[in-house]
Amino acid sequence: MPVWSEVLAELARQQTPNYDEVRREYLYELYRHTNRNAILYCSGWLQKESPAILVSIGDEDIQALMEVTHGLEGTTLDLILHSPGGSPEAAEAIVSYLRSRFSYIRVIVPQLAMSAATMIACAADEIVL
């Protein structure tokens, strides 16, 4: 996996940076390396000032995670998690849903997982910091 400066350099080489394509490429690379489903839950809460409601874990994220995990095969999941936290009730519902779908969950925290994000991480079988 590249370091952040390499990802930025890759995006800078593109005439019109396609962030989603690059994100998907590296998630797929992680999947190929671990042979585990890999998804990303993060927000840009450190890059810009946004109302907390726009960057915090909330009820709408439960549906989003259902969409993202729909169709994934296998019983293992790597969840890359970077969040300031949010609603503890939403975190509990997210954990309940993910536990109903996957028998082994590893949470990877590349930088920060605060508050309700900490709760999600602590519900995993393994945490990588």
Side-chain angles (χ1 to χ4, degrees), residues 5-25:
S5 62
E6 293 170 330
V7 174
L8 290 176
E10 180 178 342
L11 289 165
R13 286 191 298 272
Q14 297 178 356
Q15 197 164 22
T16 304
N18 188 332
Y19 297 96
D20 187 53
E21 180 181 298
V22 171
R23 177 187 56 81
R24 288 174 185 263
E25 174 188 320

Side-chain angles (χ1 to χ4, degrees), residues 19-93:
Y19 297 96
D20 187 53
E21 180 181 298
V22 171
R23 177 187 56 81
R24 288 174 185 263
E25 174 188 320
Y26 288 114
L27 284 173
Y28 183 69
E29 189 175 315
L30 177 63
Y31 164 76
R32 283 193 353 234
H33 179 73
T34 63
N35 201 32
R36 299 164 57 92
N37 294 304
I39 62 173
L40 172 68
Y41 179 95
C42 69
S43 67
W45 59 288
L46 294 177
Q47 281 75 38
K48 57 188 172 204
E49 289 189 34
S50 297
I53 192 72
L54 297 179
V55 295
S56 298
I57 295 169
D59 291 333
E60 64 279 358
D61 296 320
I62 301 162
Q63 187 65 36
L65 284 169
M66 287 178 173
E67 285 284 327
V68 169
T69 59
H70 178 75
L72 293 180
E73 296 179 10
T75 61
T76 60
L77 177 70
D78 283 342
L79 170 62
I80 303 169
L81 180 63
H82 175 68
S83 169
S87 163
E89 294 82 11
E92 180 181 18

